[in-house]
Amino acid sequence: MPRSTAEKRAAFRELHLAGCFVIPNPWDAGSARYLEHAGFQAIASTSSGFAWSTARPDNGVTRELVLAHLRTLVEATDLPVNADFESGFGETPKDVAESVKLAVATGVAGLSIEDTTGDANEPLFPLDEAVARMKAARRAIDETGGDTLLVGRAENFFAGVPDLDDAIRRLQAYAEAGADCLYAPGIQSEAQIRAVVAAVAPKPVNVLIGATSPFTLQALASLGVRRVSVGGALARSAWGGFMHAAQALAEGRFDGFDGAASGATLNGLFRQGE
């Protein structure tokens, strides 16, 4: 029998209590189903991967499209799904709360809220405003039952404000505001990771590994990291293979199909889930 939403959320919370796990990021139903087949314990959406699949840039997709996408992922797999919910799709904390309730209703087991404004001149919300938005997300989750995991994201390193001390202040404030898990995408060094883990302990920390890295999962676990996501890296890898093969075709060659999955393998995989 498929797991219920409550069971998925309980399993997802359990994953954050000890150890270190990889939470890969599919961009459609097929990639989500494959990751379940590959043995992962949870998955997370990727705003960039999904946006590219709709011929839009990252952060260029409407709330309605994102909510429909989340429902697609939740329905495609028995795994808990964490939503990359960008900045909460709302100008005010009240708007964020409304959006979060809609996201929870899709059946996701967790969701993340960023502190980016979309304004290149002032890329991050002032801390008090960012905290108000996080508190609104927390209240919205609590009002729907409270079992959806809330992830607070400090976007300093992605927003062109690579200030570790400020990122830590933000993460600590988000933890105080009710975030269950903390995330500063873009930190890379062992020292940065150790600093973030220590600053928000005992709450779990997510680290992004979006490219070839000297770290192993075991090494990240030894630093106290609880979960590792890959953002749009799997989608970019798929696009890389597609672009390579398409360019070869444009040049009159067919060698770009080397390494392609077989139709029989894919049919067999997806036939199992019918």
Side-chain angles (χ1 to χ4, degrees), residues 11-187:
F12 194 50
R13 283 190 170 273
E14 185 74 19
L15 287 172
H16 290 77
L17 296 180
C20 183
F21 68 100
V22 176
I23 182 167
N25 304 73
W27 61 95
D28 62 9
S31 55
R33 183 75 59 78
Y34 177 78
L35 292 172
E36 179 177 4
H37 170 77
F40 291 98
Q41 297 172 284
I43 57 175
S45 67
T46 160
S47 63
S48 59
F50 173 57
W52 298 329
S53 75
T54 68
R56 293 174 174 87
D58 193 13
N59 302 119
V61 182
T62 65
R63 184 179 74 177
E64 288 67 30
L65 284 175
V66 169
L67 292 169
H69 173 59
L70 294 176
R71 285 190 290 270
T72 295
L73 294 182
V74 168
E75 292 168 3
T77 175
D78 217 23
L79 297 179
V81 176
N82 191 100
D84 177 349
F85 208 51
E86 301 183 27
S87 298
F89 296 94
E91 293 185 6
T92 68
K94 181 179 179 181
D95 296 333
V96 171
E98 175 188 312
S99 294
V100 167
K101 287 184 178 181
L102 292 172
V104 170
T106 68
V108 294
L111 62 88
S112 61
I113 298 292
E114 304 172 6
D115 53 9
T116 47
T117 64
D119 181 349
N121 295 318
E122 295 182 19
L124 299 175
F125 284 107
L127 183 55
D128 59 346
E129 190 173 347
V131 167
R133 296 166 69 84
M134 194 64 62
K135 287 181 177 178
R138 177 76 269 165
R139 285 193 302 272
I141 288 174
D142 291 345
E143 289 171 3
T144 61
D147 57 348
T148 304
L149 190 123
L150 176 61
V151 183
R153 292 178 51 149
E155 296 293 303
N156 297 67
F157 287 81
F158 272 12
V161 191
D163 183 334
L164 181 63
D165 291 337
D166 184 63
I168 286 175
R169 281 192 295 272
R170 288 171 174 272
L171 293 177
Q172 290 173 325
Y174 303 157
E176 183 68 23
D180 300 299
C181 178
L182 290 311
Y183 182 16
I187 60 172

Side-chain angles (χ1 to χ4, degrees), residues 225-245:
V225 174
R226 191 57 48 80
R227 74 181 208 185
V228 180
S229 58
V230 300
L234 286 173
R236 288 187 288 106
S237 296
W239 274 102
F242 172 81
M243 293 164 73
H244 171 73

